[in-house]
Amino acid sequence: MTGDTDNKFLNVGLLIIATLLVAKLISALITPRSQKRLPPVMKGWPLIGGLIRFLKGPIVMLREEYPKLGSVFTVNLVNRKITFLIGPEVSAHFFKASEVDLSQQEVYQFNVPTFGPGVVFDVEYSIRQEQFRFFTEALRVNKLKGYVDQMVVEAEVSKFIDLSAVSVFYYLLSTLSVLVCPSFIDNPFL
C-alpha cells in the first residue's frame, strides 16, 4: 500500500513539473520578442534560475558572473528577473531611464517604511519627480554641512531629556540617512 501512495506522489510531482515546463515553453514561443537588445542572462536551472547561487552568496555570484557577462546582466530568480548594473559607467542608466523602461518604484518598494507612505517610492512617477526636485536643493553638499550644527544642538538638548546615548546616536544617524539617501537615489555621483 505504501508503494502505491509513493508512486502517486511521484507521478503528481512529475506531472506538475512537466506542466510548468510546457507552460514555460509555450509562453516563450507566444510572447513577442522585443526589438531592444536585452542584457545577457546568467545560466541557471530551469524555473529556479540562479536562486541557489544567489542564496549562497550574491556577492560571490556577482564576482563570478561579472567577468563572463559584463557590467550588465540578468539573473532569473524563480518568477523574477533581476538585472544588475555594475559600475559607474552603466549605473547612470538606472537613474536616467524612463519609468516605462525601468520602474524605480518597484525596485525601491522596500524603502517605503524608511520615508513613510505617500513619499518618494510610494507615489506615482510624476509626484516622485516633483519630490526629488525639493530634495535636490536640500541635499547639496554645502547644505548637508549646515545640518551638522543643527544635529549637534539637538544632541546637546537631548542630554536634558533623559535619552540614552545610543538612542541619540540612532536618531542622528536616521536623520542623516533620510537627508542623504535621496541624493544618492537621485544621483549617486553628486
Side-chain angles (χ1 to χ4, degrees):
M1 189 70 172
T2 308
D4 261 357
T5 307
D6 289 345
N7 282 340
K8 285 181 184 178
F9 283 124
L10 180 64
N11 289 338
V12 169
L14 289 173
L15 181 64
I16 290 171
I17 290 172
T19 304
L20 290 172
L21 288 173
V22 169
K24 180 80 171 170
L25 278 171
I26 291 172
S27 71
L29 294 172
I30 292 175
T31 18
R33 299 277 182 220
S34 172
Q35 298 300 321
K36 295 180 182 179
R37 200 180 79 178
L38 298 175
V41 178
M42 185 182 92
K43 289 182 170 71
W45 288 89
L47 300 177
I48 60 170
L51 180 64
I52 294 170
R53 285 184 61 202
F54 187 82
L55 291 175
K56 283 183 180 177
I59 302 299
V60 172
M61 182 196 73
L62 292 173
R63 286 188 177 144
E64 290 172 357
E65 295 302 323
Y66 175 75
K68 292 187 248 177
L69 300 174
S71 56
V72 180
F73 59 91
T74 299
V75 176
N76 290 322
L77 299 176
V78 187
N79 66 336
R80 295 259 188 224
K81 291 182 178 188
I82 299 177
T83 300
F84 291 92
L85 293 95
I86 302 172
E89 66 281 353
V90 294
S91 63
H93 297 291
F94 174 78
F95 296 99
K96 298 190 185 316
S98 69
E99 190 69 8
V100 173
D101 291 332
L102 180 89
S103 172
Q104 288 184 352
Q105 183 174 10
E106 185 179 338
V107 172
Y108 282 115
Q109 193 63 39
F110 70 91
N111 263 337
V112 171
T114 304
F115 299 106
V119 182
V120 190
F121 297 107
D122 193 39
V123 294
E124 294 300 318
Y125 181 72
S126 59
I127 296 169
R128 185 173 345 126
Q129 290 304 103
E130 186 177 328
Q131 290 176 353
F132 278 153
R133 282 191 284 280
F134 291 130
F135 295 150
T136 301
E137 184 57 35
L139 295 171
R140 301 233 178 265
V141 173
N142 60 341
K143 294 275 190 177
L144 287 173
K145 289 178 182 176
Y147 300 143
V148 173
D149 292 335
Q150 177 185 349
M151 292 168 70
V152 168
V153 168
E154 289 178 12
E156 292 295 322
V157 168
S158 69
K159 290 179 185 175
F160 302 105
I161 305 177
D162 191 30
L163 294 174
S164 71
V166 173
S167 64
V168 171
F169 177 74
Y170 175 77
Y171 170 75
L172 293 174
L173 190 60
S174 62
T175 302
L176 187 61
S177 298
V178 169
L179 293 172
V180 172
C181 286
S183 70
F184 290 107
I185 291 167
D186 189 34
N187 185 352
F189 307 109
L190 280 178

